[in-house]
Amino acid sequence: RTGEPPEELVQKLGLQQVSDRSSLEPITRKAMADHAGAVAHYRRGKTQALGRVVGAVMKEMKSANPALVGDLLRELIEREDAE
């Protein structure tokens, strides 16, 4: 026990979850490029393949919100498919 308020500890230890899309998008795009095979599998209907890309983003940015990363990935893939 440190006696510090929980909010201070969370900030001090960097445990805040990143939910800022603008911070996550560049890392997410890089993960998509690095794991193009998994993205291709996802496009062919293997939805579980997206987990590999989410994992890559989480590895790079440990405090990222995984649900938001998944949503962002799906959005970016759909946007690419529409172009």
Side-chain angles (χ1 to χ4, degrees):
R1 295 191 179 234
T2 65
E4 293 180 66
E7 296 83 14
E8 285 182 27
L9 278 175
V10 166
Q11 195 159 36
K12 181 179 174 181
L13 298 173
L15 299 175
Q16 289 175 306
Q17 204 173 54
V18 176
S19 294
D20 177 22
R21 293 173 76 88
S22 62
S23 297
L24 293 171
E25 189 167 336
I27 295 166
T28 303
R29 287 186 180 278
K30 181 182 181 311
M32 287 173 62
D34 291 348
H35 295 85
V39 173
H41 286 292
Y42 175 78
R43 284 185 168 122
R44 289 193 299 266
K46 295 189 179 200
T47 56
Q48 70 274 16
L50 205 61
R52 173 180 257 177
V53 188
V54 171
V57 174
M58 297 303 295
K59 185 176 180 183
E60 182 72 26
M61 185 178 248
K62 292 172 180 51
S63 57
N65 178 333
L68 179 61
V69 170
D71 290 344
L72 183 57
L73 275 167
R74 282 185 285 280
E75 180 183 309
L76 291 172
I77 291 169
E78 287 174 19
R79 198 181 309 160
E80 281 182 3
D81 290 346
E83 292 177 354

